[in-house]
Amino acid sequence: MLQDLGLRTPIIQAPMAGVATPVLAATVSDAGGLGSLGIGSSTVPQARAMITQAMALTARPINVNVFCHQPAQRDAQVERRWLDALAPLFAECGAQPPADLTEVYPTFLHDDDALRMLLDLRPAVVSFHFGLPDAARIAALKDAGIRLMASATNLAEADAIGAAGIDAIVAQGIEAGGHRGMFDPDAADERFSTSVLVRMLVRRHHLPVVAAGGIMDGQGIRAALDLGAAAAQLGTAFILCPESAADAAYRALLTSEAAGQTRLTAVMSGRPARSIVTRFIRHANASGQSPAAYPVAYDAVKRLDALAKAQGNAEFGARWAGQGAPLARAMPAADLMATLAQEMGAA
Ligand SMILES: Cc1cc2nc3c(=O)[nH]c(=O)nc-3n(C[C@H](O)[C@H](O)[C@H](O)COP(=O)(O)O)c2cc1C
């Protein structure tokens, strides 16, 4: 599938909701890789604008990623206790916790508007995170000539992806930054490393396997290809590119000693995700309370972060990063692509 797309280099810039921009994705695609947009946290009009912009900036393929989580199981008591646990942080910002929380964005599983928008714009690739949509949606996207990829963190998820007729499996290891793509966040997690997961999936499936998690340079990409991966998907490596939407505080944290400490935690959004350890994470963990369900818990973080940022406090927002964060380099995306290719020995 990746050969059909005409990629000149087997590098996928990871879809990163809130961080990847049309300019970043188009620059990576123009450099011969596959640029991606994450629209999981965008409204349909916002997503349409981003995809249209990226497709106007490059004639090369781009990937659009959607979130396929099960709708939140709301529990008023858990949400109330969670807001109570966060009350001291809201108080620091001179505010009360909100009276209640909302499911900040819908799941693609039931989002007909998002499906119609994708069928209308027809990006070359659509990828799924947190699960798979139903057969009818998959068939509609395929009939429109769109190639499909989906994240797997274990063998059962990869098997489901293969059975659903998806074109490539993104093998997401425990090292990865951002949300872990596990289909069921409450299931036991084997926490496979990228290298082990890639080897298992290459031996088990005929589909192309894309290695994701902890890959930060050309040497890492080369190693993933040696393990049998068809391509490598890099997220954290692209956050410091000037074309990303990361704000100054995020960039500062990622270039500080703090980047060496990341944690997979559900306290930010309600689902396991790897972030640089911030004061929010330390406070939330110390509270001992279970977070509200995904993405309801994220609503609390977004509100708190907006209040805190207005006061110059950047310790409460999402600072997703993989274990390789200390290896991130600040350089324009085109230069990073050239550097990665040169390190791989492919340029
Ligand atoms: C800031 C950030 C945002 C992310 N957002 C998404 C997303 O919207 N959709 C998705 O499928 N994966 C997302 N991921 C996970 C990536 O697809 C990929 O698995 C991960 O970046 C690979 O690990 P690395 O960060 O060590 O390269 C995100 C990762 C980061 C760092």
Side-chain angles (χ1 to χ4, degrees), residues 14-17 19 38 65 67 129 151 172 175-178 212-215 233-236 239 250 320 322:
M16 293 184 281
V19 172
N65 176 265
F67 290 160
H129 208 47
S151 308
Q172 192 197 35
E175 303 94 321
I215 303 173
Q233 177 163 303
L234 286 66
T236 305
I239 298 175
Y250 194 174
W320 310 131

Side-chain angles (χ1 to χ4, degrees), residues 86 254 288 304:
L86 301 183
L254 192 50
L304 183 60

Side-chain angles (χ1 to χ4, degrees), residues 148-228:
L148 302 177
M149 304 197 295
S151 308
T153 62
N154 61 33
L155 303 182
E157 290 166 0
D159 291 352
I161 290 168
I166 305 300
D167 301 297
I169 308 173
V170 179
Q172 192 197 35
I174 196 74
E175 303 94 321
H179 280 94
R180 189 149 168 76
M182 56 205 298
F183 290 12
D184 176 1
D186 298 324
D189 187 355
E190 290 301 324
R191 301 171 69 96
F192 291 121
S193 68
T194 304
S195 58
V196 168
L197 188 59
V198 166
R199 281 308 299 152
M200 290 194 298
L201 298 190
V202 167
R203 291 256 286 264
R204 192 176 171 99
H205 286 276
H206 294 295
L207 291 175
V209 173
V210 175
I215 303 173
M216 300 299 294
D217 48 27
Q219 290 84 347
I221 298 169
R222 171 63 55 207
L225 299 180
D226 283 347
L227 292 172

